[in-house]
Amino acid sequence: MPTEQTNSQRRFTVIELPVFPIVKESLLLPFNYMPELVKFGKMPFLLILAVDLLCYGLERQDISKSLTGTLMMVAHFVLFTPFSVAWTKLAIHGRRSVANHPAFAYSRTQWMYLLATTVMILALLISVGVPFVLLRNFQRNFENELMILAGGGLFVGLGIYVIGYLRLQFVFPAIAIGRYAGISASWKQTAGNIERLAAIVLLSYLPYWLIRLTFEWYMGYHPPGVIEAFRGCIEMLLVTFATTALAGPALAYKALVLDQPQDETATPAISAAR
């Protein structure tokens, strides 16, 4: 349970998220709920393998790798949205909440979840992508002063995006369980816990990233064939497992919002010293 501290200089209660217990629970969730992982992850896994194969065929036809990479990214978010919604509900409410949940289907909840994801991606492209493109353009033209300005814009844009992303993390679990109350509600609910949320997100994904990095280093490069196909299957399996890390923010939402008395959840948790 979160620890509570009262700030004598404010009227609000500081509710500190227990970072390591949440991360531990998130990492153990796939092993504790393996049947649900197979049920909800099987179809996205098979479909993303098919898209990966399609992209490989397009690259063989001299299609730009950036184009196939974009296709893979879009396919991942579209195909894994039903899994993300089901896994979030499982993390928050347990096995009974997804007992009758479709293995792979789109409804209003899934479309809203995908819309929220799309907005986040567009925000990233605007706040980070645009300054990055300008920076590369100025580098090629040796315009040093403008390059420094674009670099500063990239740094500021990245900082704004990271803060906004963390402060709006609770939008996703709220949508998944049908309790979405708007952006302002999520912003208030995460107040005072931005560092802990950052730690939860980072630590929940870090093991999967390290495993994938190690696997790629161990496999090395192989020409198209059986070994490369095996590598692709394992990589997509790791992508599926990595998607389960969204349980970290979902469990934080549960601890900070759902497990608190109603008057606590309605009031932002503001830290004493920020």
Side-chain angles (χ1 to χ4, degrees):
M1 290 292 295
T3 58
E4 297 187 5
Q5 299 176 348
T6 301
N7 181 2
S8 59
Q9 296 178 345
R10 300 178 186 267
R11 294 178 300 167
F12 306 112
T13 301
V14 177
I15 304 173
E16 296 183 356
L17 285 171
V19 174
F20 291 108
I22 287 177
V23 172
K24 178 182 177 182
E25 187 175 354
S26 174
L27 294 176
L28 290 177
L29 214 60
F31 305 99
N32 294 334
Y33 296 101
M34 188 60 69
E36 285 76 15
L37 178 63
V38 174
K39 174 184 175 182
F40 298 115
K42 178 174 63 177
M43 186 59 70
F45 170 68
L46 294 175
L47 291 175
I48 201 70
L49 274 181
V51 175
D52 191 25
L53 180 62
L54 173 64
C55 290
Y56 171 73
L58 292 175
E59 289 177 7
R60 296 275 291 181
Q61 299 299 319
D62 295 327
I63 300 297
S64 168
K65 198 163 186 176
S66 61
L67 182 61
T68 57
T70 301
L71 177 60
M72 279 294 294
M73 182 188 71
V74 172
H76 173 268
F77 287 117
V78 172
L79 296 176
F80 277 89
T81 290
F83 174 79
S84 300
V85 170
W87 199 255
T88 298
K89 291 176 67 175
L90 176 68
I92 294 175
H93 292 311
R95 179 169 279 140
R96 286 186 294 180
S97 65
V98 295
N100 299 318
H101 195 87
F104 184 83
Y106 261 87
S107 66
R108 183 174 179 272
T109 299
Q110 282 78 13
W111 285 116
M112 283 188 62
Y113 195 100
L114 182 60
L115 176 61
T117 303
T118 303
V119 170
M120 283 291 188
I121 294 173
L122 290 176
L124 177 64
L125 292 176
I126 294 171
S127 61
V128 178
V130 172
F132 178 77
V133 170
L134 291 175
L135 176 63
R136 293 298 300 271
N137 184 61
F138 294 145
Q139 281 180 330
R140 282 192 288 266
N141 295 326
F142 301 102
E143 301 180 60
N144 294 332
E145 292 183 359
L146 292 176
M147 186 177 68
I148 294 173
L149 184 63
L154 176 63
F155 180 78
V156 172
L158 179 61
I160 292 174
Y161 177 79
V162 169
I163 293 173
Y165 174 78
L166 293 172
R167 290 298 302 270
L168 298 177
Q169 266 295 296
F170 289 174
V171 164
F172 297 97
I175 290 175
I177 65 172
R179 289 177 59 101
Y180 178 66
I183 292 176
S184 61
S186 175
W187 190 271
K188 293 175 182 178
Q189 289 161 355
T190 55
N193 275 286
I194 187 169
E195 299 93 342
R196 298 177 189 88
L197 276 172
I200 289 171
V201 171
L202 179 63
L203 294 176
S204 295
Y205 282 96
L206 184 61
Y208 301 109
W209 181 78
L210 292 176
I211 291 171
R212 184 176 181 181
L213 197 65
T214 303
F215 175 75
E216 290 179 349
W217 170 81
Y218 176 76
M219 289 294 296
Y221 171 76
H222 292 280
V226 176
I227 296 179
E228 187 63 17
F230 170 77
R231 172 181 176 171
C233 291
I234 297 300
E235 284 187 342
M236 292 303 104
L237 185 62
L238 290 174
V239 167
T240 304
F241 268 92
T243 308
T244 66
L246 56 84
L251 291 168
Y253 173 78
K254 180 177 183 292
L256 200 59
V257 179
L258 301 183
D259 290 348
Q260 301 304 315
Q262 188 62 34
D263 58 341
E264 293 287 353
T265 61
T267 305
I270 300 180
S271 179
R274 288 285 179 267

